[in-house]
Amino acid sequence: MDVKTVGIIGAGQMGNGIAHVMALSGFHVVLNDISQQALDSGLSLIQKNLARQAGRGKISDEEVAASMERISTTLVLADIGKTDLVIEAATERETVKQAIFEDLLPHLLPHTILTSNTSSISITRLASRTDRPERFMGFHFMNPVPVMQLVELIRGIATDEDTFKTCQAVVEKLGKTAASAEDFPAFIVNRILMPMINEAVYTLYEGVGSVRSIDESMKLGANHPMGPLELADFIGLDTCLAIMNVLHDGLADTKYRPCPLLTKYVEAGWLGRKTQRGFYDYRGETPVPTR
Ligand SMILES: NC(=O)c1ccc[n+]([C@@H]2O[C@H](COP(=O)([O-])OP(=O)(O)OC[C@H]3O[C@@H](n4cnc5c(N)ncnc54)[C@H](O)[C@@H]3O)[C@@H](O)[C@H]2O)c1
């Protein structure tokens, strides 16, 4: 199938990044959220990020304008139904995602491919609640979407080859690289990355190091471009906790137990950059460690 229109559900950090790269690659995008504010700020962030790319000479001003013209926004989920490919990028909670798919099903075209950008939830289980498990798969972008090269493509148990090939072609058109992952908790990248972040939080919790010393150690000692706590703030601590819970529940191994300190930060609403506070406080000029 030749995908021309893409429906994106959720205009948060991931949804707006996905809309950005899709529109820039020539796809027509319909972006949906339950919050008008999320749609407005998502759209202005896309404009800002595209303008930054133009400022660096990576794209032309005409491409910025044409990309923005290819994006429409809507609070009505049914408007997403008439697209060739749907990418669900709403909050990482299974009940939220299931309710979205349930509401969307009556409005879909027969050929529409349904995908989820979930970081960890079972694709097979999400697919089984729809009318099209063979045309359902995981389409997992990395954050920030315009910068990161990888997209994990995850086949559910019923996903057919045409669906996989169609999504693979979309990734190629975006100029990104697809990695094929099997449908087990957290797939490849987060299966490896999240236990490392969780261990960094344990290292902080047990007083082995401060926020700054843990991040500096991993940057200078392991050559990571960002420290694990800085990265956790970037991803969102609620998302990190949700992924650890999926690993813990799905693999039933105590090595995946979420650190109580991570839970406490989430309980406080200190979710990282998106709420201006996490392992660092971002409300001032420069980030200040909170421990
Ligand atoms: N943050 C990351 O680094 C990252 C990376 C890869 C994948 N993901 C995945 O992408 C998804 C979104 O994560 P995010 O970081 O963008 O979260 P976010 O909190 O920034 O955005 C989520 C958006 O979904 C919207 N939303 C909630 N319920 C909705 C509904 N019923 N219908 C439409 N919109 C709804 C919210 O209003 C919000 O704007 C999650 O599944 C997450 O696991 C996140």
Side-chain angles (χ1 to χ4, degrees), residues 5 12 22 27 40 51 77 108 120 131 138 154 169 184 187 189 205 222 237 255 257 288:
T5 52
M22 287 286 175
F27 296 101
D40 293 343
L77 184 64
L108 290 179
S120 59
D131 61 350
I154 305 114
F184 289 100
F187 321 126
V189 174
Y205 177 62
L237 303 192
K255 75 178 176 181
R257 70 201 187 286
V288 179

Side-chain angles (χ1 to χ4, degrees), residues 9-15 32-35 38 89-92 96-97 100 117-119 140-141 143 235 239 274:
I9 303 166
Q13 4 180 30
M14 294 307 289
N32 160 261
D33 204 291
I34 43 169
S35 143
T91 311
E92 184 75 348
V96 170
K97 294 183 187 297
I100 288 172
N117 184 50
T118 177
S119 303
H140 184 220
F141 287 88
N143 187 18
I235 294 167
T239 300
K274 63 184 169 187

Side-chain angles (χ1 to χ4, degrees), residues 158-174:
T159 310
D160 68 22
E161 197 54 23
D162 276 355
T163 300
F164 184 82
K165 291 240 166 72
T166 303
C167 290
Q168 208 173 23
V170 171
V171 175
E172 271 169 33
K173 195 168 165 193
L174 295 176

Side-chain angles (χ1 to χ4, degrees), residues 16-30:
N16 82 64
I18 298 167
H20 170 143
V21 298
M22 287 286 175
L24 188 56
S25 300
F27 296 101
H28 287 270
V29 172
V30 188

